[in-house]
């Protein structure tokens, strides 16, 4: 089924974009006509099932230990992802620079794999959160998967710098800033970010997956004590799909590198020095905290694996 991303009436003239995974899924002030899906999440009306999960002090200590592994690897691993605050401080990179070209080739090569991994992760997460019992949700999920399958191309863009985005007027293309392409120096880091973008596309301009997204946000709030609602839920859900996709990729492609080092690459762009959030986004380090709280298997693998 082909899903039309454009809206009716005057709104159809606007472009809608998803920009990720930094503090970037916000209205772009340089393009006044751009409207982001990020702002419509609060319109959701369906009540999710609350998990009322909590974490023991031991689990919290393990989580902090795992964050230490992720951010230590950021300094040790030659293929680690550059922290987003550092990416933001770098000068623009020409499209034909070797680093940007290598990143673009990596992204295009991994796009089909990332699509499959996102679809599998989305199904898995939906089952895990009990939302597939709803016929309404299953229909939305089928449409979301069709949207993911329709993405065909990664377009490098110098002006996008450290952003990645999808314009609903061109839903088959993910636009990727060259700094971002160069800053994700591993397949694991790239798959995580591609999957984040694809999850925005899956959710679409009507927040089709809002039941799932809300449930993820509520559980993350319960586990961490952080306020993760509205747009923050969508960003965390996109990052969670990214981490799940990267983890599945690592499991299916064993190599000589340690699993923990590879896993760390999927979230370590959040190992910032300048740790600031806003109304729509957790701070990067709290993003890692929420992702690991939602994914205790990831915590175990990060801690137990030897380098
Ligand atoms: Zn995003």
């Amino acid at each position: 089924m082909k899903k039309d991303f454009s809206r009716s009436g005057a709104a159809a003239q606007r472009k809608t974009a998803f920009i990720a995974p930094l503090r970037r899924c916000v209205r772009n002030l340089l393009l006044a006509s751009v409207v982001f899906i990020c702002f419509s999440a609060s319109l959701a009306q369906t009540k999710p099932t609350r998990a009322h999960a909590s974490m023991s002090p031991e689990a919290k200590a393990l989580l902090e230990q795992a964050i230490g592994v992720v951010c230590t690897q950021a300094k040790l691993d030659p293929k680690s992802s550059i922290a987003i605050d550092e990416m933001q401080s770098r000068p623009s990179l020409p499209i034909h620079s070797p680093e940007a070209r290598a990143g673009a080739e990596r992204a295009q090569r991994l796009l089909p794999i990332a699509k499959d991994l996102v679809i599998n992760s989305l199904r898995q997460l939906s089952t895990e959160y009990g939302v597939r019992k709803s016929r309404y949700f299953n229909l939305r999920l089928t449409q979301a998967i069709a949207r993911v399958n329709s993405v065909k191309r990664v377009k490098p863009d110098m002006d996008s710098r450290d952003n990645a985005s999808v314009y609903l007027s061109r839903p088959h293309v993910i636009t990727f800033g060259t700094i971002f392409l160069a800053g994700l120096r591993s397949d694991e880091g790239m798959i995580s970010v591609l999957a984040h973008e694809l999850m925005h596309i899956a959710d679409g301009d009507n927040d089709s997956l809002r039941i799932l997204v809300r449930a993820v946000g509520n559980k993350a709030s319960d586990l961490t004590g952080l306020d993760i609602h509205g747009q923050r839920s969508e960003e965390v859900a996109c990052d969670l799909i990214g981490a799940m996709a990267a983890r599945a990729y690592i499991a299916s492609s064993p190599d000589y590198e340690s699993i923990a080092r590879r896993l760390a690459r999927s979230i370590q762009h959040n190992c910032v020095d300048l740790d600031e959030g806003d109304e729509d986004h957790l701070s990067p380090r709290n993003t890692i905290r929420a992702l690991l709280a939602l994914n205790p298997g990831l915590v175990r693998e990060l801690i137990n694996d030897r380098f």
Side-chain angles (χ1 to χ4, degrees):
M1 178 184 294
K2 187 175 184 301
K3 180 78 174 178
D4 187 357
F5 276 76
S6 64
R7 298 177 181 178
S8 59
Q13 303 305 314
R14 302 171 187 154
K15 286 190 292 187
T16 302
F18 316 96
I19 295 193
L22 319 182
R23 297 180 293 273
R24 289 295 185 240
C25 297
V26 297
R27 188 183 300 273
N28 186 336
L29 298 176
L30 297 174
L31 296 169
S33 63
V34 171
V35 178
F36 296 147
I37 188 171
C38 306
F39 292 99
S40 52
S42 59
L43 299 176
Q45 292 176 345
T46 308
K47 281 192 172 182
T49 304
R50 294 300 303 271
H52 294 297
S54 62
M55 289 180 78
S56 66
E58 292 78 14
K60 284 180 183 167
L62 289 175
L63 188 152
E64 294 300 324
Q65 198 182 327
I67 294 175
V69 171
V70 171
C71 295
T72 300
Q73 280 300 313
K75 297 187 177 75
L76 300 177
D77 178 5
K79 289 162 77 174
S80 64
S81 299
I82 308 292
I84 55 181
D85 56 345
E86 191 183 332
M87 279 197 240
Q88 284 166 2
S89 70
R90 291 190 172 188
S92 290
L93 203 55
I95 280 185
H96 295 296
S97 67
E99 301 96 318
R101 286 179 73 155
E105 284 166 17
R106 184 196 302 283
Q108 188 62 48
R109 169 173 58 82
L110 292 172
L111 180 60
I113 299 168
K115 284 162 57 178
D116 287 345
L117 291 168
V118 164
I119 291 166
N120 288 341
S121 300
L122 200 42
R123 288 190 174 125
Q124 182 189 329
L125 199 63
S126 302
T127 302
E128 201 178 302
Y129 280 73
V131 292
R132 293 190 80 175
K133 294 168 194 156
S134 157
R135 276 183 61 193
Y136 171 84
F137 181 83
N138 283 326
L139 176 62
R140 296 291 178 271
L141 182 60
T142 302
Q143 293 167 339
I145 288 170
R147 282 194 288 275
V148 170
N149 274 325
S150 73
V151 178
K152 301 291 181 222
R153 195 163 75 85
V154 172
K155 178 175 177 258
D157 179 41
M158 186 171 168
D159 293 336
S160 295
R161 291 182 46 79
D162 54 333
N163 298 315
S165 56
V166 176
Y167 292 86
L168 293 191
S169 55
R170 289 178 293 146
H172 310 306
V173 179
I174 296 175
T175 302
F176 235 106
T178 47
I179 296 175
F180 208 5
L181 284 170
L184 300 167
R185 301 181 290 190
S186 67
D187 287 1
E188 295 82 4
M190 186 61 76
I191 282 180
S192 168
V193 171
L194 284 172
H196 178 114
E197 293 298 322
L198 290 167
M199 178 59 184
H200 275 308
I201 293 168
D203 197 39
D205 57 351
N206 290 317
D207 296 334
S208 299
L209 305 177
R210 67 176 73 102
I211 301 172
L212 176 63
V213 167
R214 273 195 165 193
V216 168
N218 286 335
K219 186 170 180 184
S221 292
D222 289 342
L223 288 170
T224 62
L226 299 164
D227 177 14
I228 307 174
H229 298 98
Q231 181 54 29
R232 285 183 172 188
S233 303
E234 180 163 335
E235 295 309 317
V236 167
C238 290
D239 278 341
L240 179 60
I241 290 288
M244 290 172 71
R247 192 173 173 217
Y249 173 73
I250 291 163
S252 68
S253 62
D255 70 11
Y256 63 90
E257 293 179 301
S258 87
I259 288 175
R261 172 166 278 191
R262 298 180 72 197
L263 286 170
R265 293 169 182 161
S266 68
I267 48 179
Q268 68 197 166
H269 50 276
N270 294 299
C271 292
V272 294
D273 290 326
L274 189 63
D275 191 34
E276 292 176 344
D278 59 34
E279 192 180 337
D280 293 333
H281 303 80
L282 290 172
S283 76
R285 284 180 179 270
N286 275 340
T287 296
I288 303 182
R289 211 159 264 126
L291 290 177
L292 294 180
L294 290 167
N295 202 336
L298 187 52
V299 172
R300 281 193 298 276
E301 289 179 358
L302 282 166
I303 291 173
N304 294 336
D305 191 42
R306 291 194 172 275
F307 299 103

